[in-house]
Coordinates of all heavy atoms in Angstrom, one line a residue:
Y170 N 2.9 8.2 -2.5 CA 1.6 9.0 -2.4 C 1.9 10.5 -2.2 O 1.0 11.3 -2.6 CB 0.7 8.4 -1.4 CG 0.1 7.2 -1.9 CD1 0.8 5.9 -1.6 CD2 -1.2 7.1 -2.6 CE1 0.0 4.7 -2.1 CE2 -1.8 5.9 -2.9 CZ -1.1 4.7 -2.7 OH -1.7 3.5 -3.1
D171 N 3.1 10.8 -1.5 CA 3.3 12.2 -1.2 C 3.9 12.9 -2.4 O 3.9 14.2 -2.5 CB 4.2 12.4 -0.1 CG 3.6 11.9 1.3 OD1 2.2 11.8 1.3 OD2 4.2 11.7 2.2
T172 N 4.5 12.2 -3.4 CA 5.2 12.9 -4.4 C 4.6 12.8 -5.7 O 5.0 13.5 -6.7 CB 6.7 12.4 -4.5 OG1 6.7 10.9 -4.9 CG2 7.4 12.5 -3.2
V173 N 3.8 11.7 -5.9 CA 3.1 11.5 -7.3 C 1.9 12.4 -7.5 O 0.9 12.2 -6.7 CB 2.7 10.0 -7.4 CG1 2.1 9.9 -8.9 CG2 4.0 9.2 -7.4
K174 N 2.0 13.4 -8.4 CA 0.9 14.3 -8.7 C 0.3 14.2 -10.0 O 1.1 13.9 -11.0 CB 1.4 15.8 -8.4 CG 2.2 16.0 -7.2 CD 1.5 15.8 -5.9 CE 2.2 16.0 -4.7 NZ 1.4 15.8 -3.4
N175 N -0.9 14.3 -10.2 CA -1.5 14.3 -11.7 C -1.2 13.1 -12.4 O -1.0 13.2 -13.6 CB -1.2 15.5 -12.3 CG -1.5 16.9 -11.5 OD1 -2.5 17.0 -11.0 ND2 -0.5 17.9 -11.5
L176 N -1.2 12.0 -11.8 CA -1.1 10.7 -12.4 C -2.0 9.7 -11.9 O -2.2 9.4 -10.6 CB 0.4 10.4 -12.2 CG 0.9 9.0 -13.0 CD1 1.0 9.3 -14.4 CD2 2.2 8.5 -12.5
N177 N -2.7 9.0 -12.8 CA -3.6 8.0 -12.3 C -2.8 6.7 -12.2 O -2.3 6.0 -13.1 CB -4.7 7.8 -13.4 CG -5.7 6.8 -13.2 OD1 -5.8 6.4 -12.0 ND2 -6.5 6.4 -14.1
F178 N -2.6 6.3 -10.9 CA -1.7 5.2 -10.6 C -2.3 4.3 -9.5 O -3.3 4.6 -8.9 CB -0.3 5.6 -10.1 CG -0.4 6.2 -8.8 CD1 0.0 5.4 -7.7 CD2 -0.7 7.5 -8.5 CE1 0.0 6.0 -6.4 CE2 -0.7 8.1 -7.2 CZ -0.2 7.3 -6.2
E179 N -1.8 3.0 -9.5 CA -2.3 2.2 -8.4 C -1.0 1.5 -7.8 O 0.1 1.5 -8.5 CB -3.1 1.0 -9.1 CG -2.4 0.1 -10.1 CD -3.3 -1.0 -10.8 OE1 -4.4 -1.1 -10.3 OE2 -2.8 -1.6 -11.7
V180 N -1.1 1.0 -6.6 CA 0.1 0.2 -5.9 C -0.4 -1.1 -5.5 O -1.5 -1.3 -5.0 CB 0.4 1.0 -4.6 CG1 1.6 0.2 -4.0 CG2 1.1 2.4 -5.0
I181 N 0.4 -2.1 -6.0 CA 0.0 -3.5 -5.8 C 1.3 -4.1 -4.9 O 2.4 -4.1 -5.3 CB -0.1 -4.3 -7.0 CG1 -1.2 -3.7 -7.8 CG2 -0.4 -5.8 -6.7 CD1 -1.2 -4.1 -9.3
I182 N 0.9 -4.6 -3.7 CA 2.0 -5.2 -2.8 C 1.9 -6.7 -2.8 O 0.6 -7.2 -2.5 CB 1.7 -4.7 -1.4 CG1 2.1 -3.2 -1.3 CG2 2.8 -5.4 -0.4 CD1 1.9 -2.6 0.1
S183 N 2.9 -7.4 -3.2 CA 2.8 -8.9 -3.2 C 3.7 -9.3 -1.9 O 5.0 -9.1 -2.0 CB 3.4 -9.5 -4.5 OG 3.5 -10.8 -4.4
D184 N 3.1 -9.7 -0.8 CA 3.9 -10.0 0.4 C 4.4 -11.4 0.5 O 3.6 -12.3 0.6 CB 3.0 -9.7 1.6 CG 3.7 -9.8 2.8 OD1 5.1 -9.5 3.0 OD2 3.1 -10.1 3.9
N185 N 5.7 -11.5 0.6 CA 6.4 -12.8 0.6 C 6.8 -13.2 2.0 O 7.6 -14.2 2.3 CB 7.6 -12.8 -0.3 CG 7.4 -13.3 -1.7 OD1 6.3 -13.9 -1.9 ND2 8.2 -13.0 -2.6
S186 N 6.3 -12.7 3.0 CA 6.8 -12.8 4.4 C 5.7 -13.3 5.3 O 5.0 -12.5 6.0 CB 7.4 -11.6 5.0 OG 6.7 -10.3 4.7
P187 N 5.4 -14.5 5.3 CA 4.3 -15.2 6.1 C 4.5 -15.1 7.6 O 3.6 -15.1 8.3 CB 4.3 -16.7 5.6 CG 5.7 -16.9 5.1 CD 6.2 -15.6 4.6
N188 N 5.8 -14.8 8.0 CA 6.0 -14.9 9.5 C 6.4 -13.5 10.1 O 6.9 -13.5 11.2 CB 7.2 -16.0 9.8 CG 6.8 -17.3 9.3 OD1 5.7 -17.8 9.5 ND2 7.7 -18.0 8.7
D189 N 6.1 -12.5 9.4 CA 6.3 -11.2 10.0 C 5.0 -10.4 10.0 O 4.0 -11.1 9.7 CB 7.5 -10.4 9.4 CG 7.0 -9.6 8.1 OD1 6.0 -10.0 7.6 OD2 7.8 -8.8 7.7
N190 N 5.0 -9.2 10.4 CA 3.8 -8.3 10.6 C 3.6 -7.3 9.6 O 2.9 -6.4 9.7 CB 3.9 -7.6 11.9 CG 2.4 -7.1 12.4 OD1 1.5 -7.7 12.1 ND2 2.5 -5.9 12.9
T191 N 4.1 -7.7 8.3 CA 3.9 -6.7 7.3 C 2.4 -6.5 6.9 O 1.9 -5.5 6.8 CB 4.5 -7.3 6.0 OG1 6.0 -7.2 6.2 CG2 4.4 -6.2 4.8
A192 N 1.7 -7.6 6.9 CA 0.1 -7.6 6.7 C -0.5 -6.8 7.8 O -1.4 -5.9 7.4 CB -0.4 -9.0 6.7
G193 N -0.1 -6.9 9.0 CA -0.7 -6.1 10.0 C -0.4 -4.6 9.9 O -1.3 -3.7 10.1
V194 N 0.8 -4.2 9.5 CA 1.2 -2.9 9.3 C 0.3 -2.4 8.1 O -0.3 -1.2 8.3 CB 2.7 -2.8 8.9 CG1 2.9 -1.4 8.4 CG2 3.4 -3.1 10.1
I195 N 0.1 -3.1 7.0 CA -0.7 -2.6 5.9 C -2.1 -2.5 6.3 O -2.8 -1.4 6.0 CB -0.5 -3.6 4.7 CG1 0.9 -3.6 4.2 CG2 -1.5 -3.2 3.7 CD1 1.4 -2.3 3.6
N196 N -2.7 -3.4 7.1 CA -4.1 -3.2 7.4 C -4.3 -2.1 8.3 O -5.4 -1.5 8.2 CB -4.5 -4.5 8.2 CG -4.7 -5.7 7.3 OD1 -5.1 -5.6 6.1 ND2 -4.5 -6.9 7.8
K197 N -3.2 -1.6 9.1 CA -3.4 -0.5 10.0 C -3.3 0.8 9.3 O -4.0 1.8 9.6 CB -2.2 -0.6 11.0 CG -2.4 0.5 12.2 CD -1.3 0.1 13.2 CE -1.4 1.1 14.4 NZ -0.2 0.8 15.5
I198 N -2.6 0.8 8.2 CA -2.3 2.2 7.5 C -2.9 2.2 6.1 O -3.0 3.4 5.5 CB -0.8 2.4 7.3 CG1 -0.2 1.3 6.4 CG2 -0.2 2.4 8.7 CD1 1.2 1.5 6.0
K199 N -3.7 1.2 5.5 CA -4.2 1.2 4.2 C -5.2 2.2 4.0 O -5.5 2.7 2.9 CB -4.6 -0.3 3.9 CG -5.7 -0.7 4.6 CD -6.2 -2.1 4.0 CE -7.4 -2.5 4.7 NZ -7.9 -3.9 4.3
S200 N -5.9 2.7 5.0 CA -6.9 3.7 4.8 C -6.4 5.0 4.2 O -7.2 5.7 3.7 CB -7.7 3.8 6.2 OG -6.9 4.4 7.1
K201 N -5.1 5.3 4.4 CA -4.6 6.6 4.0 C -4.2 6.4 2.5 O -3.9 7.4 1.9 CB -3.6 7.1 4.9 CG -2.3 6.3 5.0 CD -1.3 7.1 5.9 CE 0.0 6.4 6.0 NZ 1.0 7.1 6.8
Y202 N -4.2 5.2 1.9 CA -3.7 5.1 0.6 C -4.9 4.8 -0.3 O -5.4 3.6 -0.1 CB -2.6 4.1 0.6 CG -1.5 4.2 1.5 CD1 -1.1 3.4 2.4 CD2 -0.7 5.4 1.4 CE1 -0.1 3.7 3.3 CE2 0.4 5.6 2.2 CZ 0.7 4.7 3.2 OH 1.7 5.1 4.0
K203 N -5.1 5.3 -1.4 CA -6.2 4.9 -2.4 C -5.6 4.0 -3.4 O -4.3 4.0 -3.6 CB -6.7 6.1 -3.1 CG -5.7 6.8 -4.1 CD -6.4 8.0 -4.7 CE -5.4 8.6 -5.7 NZ -6.0 9.8 -6.5
D204 N -6.4 3.1 -4.0 CA -5.9 2.2 -5.0 C -4.7 1.5 -4.7 O -3.8 1.2 -5.4 CB -5.6 3.0 -6.3 CG -6.8 3.6 -6.9 OD1 -7.9 3.1 -6.9 OD2 -6.7 4.9 -7.3
L205 N -4.9 0.8 -3.4 CA -3.8 -0.1 -3.0 C -4.4 -1.6 -2.8 O -5.4 -1.8 -2.2 CB -3.2 0.4 -1.5 CG -2.4 -0.6 -0.7 CD1 -1.0 -0.6 -1.6 CD2 -2.1 0.0 0.7
T206 N -3.7 -2.4 -3.4 CA -3.9 -3.8 -3.5 C -2.8 -4.7 -2.6 O -1.8 -4.4 -3.0 CB -4.2 -4.3 -4.9 OG1 -5.2 -3.7 -5.6 CG2 -4.5 -5.9 -4.8
F207 N -3.4 -5.4 -1.7 CA -2.4 -6.2 -0.9 C -2.7 -7.6 -1.2 O -3.8 -8.2 -0.9 CB -2.6 -5.9 0.5 CG -1.6 -6.6 1.5 CD1 -0.3 -6.1 1.5 CD2 -2.0 -7.6 2.2 CE1 0.6 -6.9 2.4 CE2 -1.1 -8.4 3.0 CZ 0.1 -7.9 3.1

């Protein structure tokens, strides 16, 4: 998000780790990223 300029893009995260806190981290920070699908 800091380096991509003037490009219409989306980010899709497919999380394979049911026993760690990746989902918690994403929920905490996702408000600063547009067009993010988890």
Side-chain angles (χ1 to χ4, degrees):
Y170 286 88
D171 290 348
T172 63
V173 178
K174 313 295 181 185
N175 303 317
L176 186 68
N177 187 10
F178 73 98
E179 63 183 354
V180 175
I181 300 162
I182 296 175
S183 177
D184 184 30
N185 269 341
S186 43
N188 298 319
D189 80 345
N190 193 39
T191 300
V194 171
I195 295 297
N196 285 331
K197 189 174 180 180
I198 64 176
K199 67 180 180 181
S200 61
K201 66 177 178 174
Y202 306 117
K203 67 175 184 176
D204 297 318
L205 173 65
T206 299
F207 181 76

